[in-house]
PDB file of all heavy atoms in Angstrom:
ATOM      1  N   ASN A 312       2.678 -16.951   2.369  1.00 93.00           N
ATOM      2  CA  ASN A 312       3.357 -15.604   2.437  1.00 93.00           C
ATOM      3  C   ASN A 312       4.633 -15.612   1.585  1.00 93.00           C
ATOM      4  O   ASN A 312       5.665 -15.647   2.159  1.00 93.00           O
ATOM      5  CB  ASN A 312       3.612 -15.189   3.799  1.00 93.00           C
ATOM      6  CG  ASN A 312       2.371 -15.116   4.614  1.00 93.00           C
ATOM      7  OD1 ASN A 312       1.578 -14.148   4.475  1.00 93.00           O
ATOM      8  ND2 ASN A 312       2.097 -16.052   5.475  1.00 93.00           N
ATOM      9  N   PRO A 313       4.448 -15.678   0.306  1.00 94.00           N
ATOM     10  CA  PRO A 313       5.624 -15.831  -0.598  1.00 94.00           C
ATOM     11  C   PRO A 313       6.777 -14.804  -0.372  1.00 94.00           C
ATOM     12  O   PRO A 313       7.959 -15.042  -0.534  1.00 94.00           O
ATOM     13  CB  PRO A 313       5.113 -15.746  -2.060  1.00 94.00           C
ATOM     14  CG  PRO A 313       3.729 -15.244  -1.904  1.00 94.00           C
ATOM     15  CD  PRO A 313       3.208 -15.552  -0.534  1.00 94.00           C
ATOM     16  N   MET A 314       6.357 -13.583   0.082  1.00 95.00           N
ATOM     17  CA  MET A 314       7.399 -12.539   0.354  1.00 95.00           C
ATOM     18  C   MET A 314       8.333 -13.019   1.467  1.00 95.00           C
ATOM     19  O   MET A 314       9.441 -12.538   1.515  1.00 95.00           O
ATOM     20  CB  MET A 314       6.539 -11.294   0.799  1.00 95.00           C
ATOM     21  CG  MET A 314       7.482 -10.035   0.586  1.00 95.00           C
ATOM     22  SD  MET A 314       8.224  -9.885  -0.997  1.00 95.00           S
ATOM     23  CE  MET A 314       6.883  -8.961  -1.954  1.00 95.00           C
ATOM     24  N   LEU A 315       7.819 -13.862   2.354  1.00 96.00           N
ATOM     25  CA  LEU A 315       8.660 -14.351   3.470  1.00 96.00           C
ATOM     26  C   LEU A 315       9.010 -15.828   3.212  1.00 96.00           C
ATOM     27  O   LEU A 315       9.185 -16.553   4.223  1.00 96.00           O
ATOM     28  CB  LEU A 315       7.836 -14.316   4.788  1.00 96.00           C
ATOM     29  CG  LEU A 315       7.312 -12.899   5.062  1.00 96.00           C
ATOM     30  CD1 LEU A 315       6.398 -12.982   6.399  1.00 96.00           C
ATOM     31  CD2 LEU A 315       8.410 -11.805   5.339  1.00 96.00           C
ATOM     32  N   GLY A 316       9.014 -16.243   1.903  1.00 95.00           N
ATOM     33  CA  GLY A 316       9.114 -17.685   1.719  1.00 95.00           C
ATOM     34  C   GLY A 316      10.426 -18.120   1.165  1.00 95.00           C
ATOM     35  O   GLY A 316      11.537 -17.652   1.482  1.00 95.00           O
ATOM     36  N   HIS A 317      10.271 -19.112   0.254  1.00 95.00           N
ATOM     37  CA  HIS A 317      11.508 -19.794  -0.336  1.00 95.00           C
ATOM     38  C   HIS A 317      12.016 -19.009  -1.480  1.00 95.00           C
ATOM     39  O   HIS A 317      11.676 -19.268  -2.612  1.00 95.00           O
ATOM     40  CB  HIS A 317      11.061 -21.152  -0.753  1.00 95.00           C
ATOM     41  CG  HIS A 317      12.167 -22.057  -0.969  1.00 95.00           C
ATOM     42  ND1 HIS A 317      12.033 -23.440  -1.221  1.00 95.00           N
ATOM     43  CD2 HIS A 317      13.552 -21.920  -0.902  1.00 95.00           C
ATOM     44  CE1 HIS A 317      13.132 -24.082  -1.327  1.00 95.00           C
ATOM     45  NE2 HIS A 317      14.146 -23.146  -1.197  1.00 95.00           N
ATOM     46  N   ARG A 318      12.806 -17.914  -1.173  1.00 96.00           N
ATOM     47  CA  ARG A 318      13.245 -17.110  -2.287  1.00 96.00           C
ATOM     48  C   ARG A 318      14.713 -16.592  -1.869  1.00 96.00           C
ATOM     49  O   ARG A 318      15.236 -16.986  -0.802  1.00 96.00           O
ATOM     50  CB  ARG A 318      12.386 -15.917  -2.484  1.00 96.00           C
ATOM     51  CG  ARG A 318      11.948 -15.154  -1.126  1.00 96.00           C
ATOM     52  CD  ARG A 318      11.111 -13.873  -1.389  1.00 96.00           C
ATOM     53  NE  ARG A 318      11.888 -12.873  -1.912  1.00 96.00           N
ATOM     54  CZ  ARG A 318      12.053 -11.651  -1.315  1.00 96.00           C
ATOM     55  NH1 ARG A 318      11.371 -11.393  -0.298  1.00 96.00           N
ATOM     56  NH2 ARG A 318      12.868 -10.780  -1.819  1.00 96.00           N
ATOM     57  N   GLY A 319      15.241 -15.756  -2.734  1.00 97.00           N
ATOM     58  CA  GLY A 319      16.590 -15.161  -2.446  1.00 97.00           C
ATOM     59  C   GLY A 319      17.601 -16.305  -2.241  1.00 97.00           C
ATOM     60  O   GLY A 319      17.612 -17.275  -2.856  1.00 97.00           O
ATOM     61  N   CYS A 320      18.567 -15.983  -1.254  1.00 98.00           N
ATOM     62  CA  CYS A 320      19.655 -16.984  -1.093  1.00 98.00           C
ATOM     63  C   CYS A 320      19.166 -18.313  -0.590  1.00 98.00           C
ATOM     64  O   CYS A 320      19.829 -19.342  -0.645  1.00 98.00           O
ATOM     65  CB  CYS A 320      20.695 -16.367  -0.195  1.00 98.00           C
ATOM     66  SG  CYS A 320      20.117 -16.201   1.471  1.00 98.00           S
ATOM     67  N   ARG A 321      17.921 -18.324  -0.211  1.00 97.00           N
ATOM     68  CA  ARG A 321      17.316 -19.606   0.295  1.00 97.00           C
ATOM     69  C   ARG A 321      17.166 -20.567  -0.887  1.00 97.00           C
ATOM     70  O   ARG A 321      17.350 -21.750  -0.756  1.00 97.00           O
ATOM     71  CB  ARG A 321      15.937 -19.373   0.992  1.00 97.00           C
ATOM     72  CG  ARG A 321      16.037 -18.408   2.101  1.00 97.00           C
ATOM     73  CD  ARG A 321      14.680 -17.911   2.597  1.00 97.00           C
ATOM     74  NE  ARG A 321      14.871 -16.784   3.473  1.00 97.00           N
ATOM     75  CZ  ARG A 321      13.889 -15.915   3.923  1.00 97.00           C
ATOM     76  NH1 ARG A 321      12.714 -16.110   3.508  1.00 97.00           N
ATOM     77  NH2 ARG A 321      14.242 -14.968   4.714  1.00 97.00           N
TER      78      ARG A 321
END
Side-chain angles (χ1 to χ4, degrees):
Chain A
N312 299 284
M314 199 53 88
L315 306 176
H317 198 173
R318 51 174 286 238
C320 67
R321 301 163 195 172

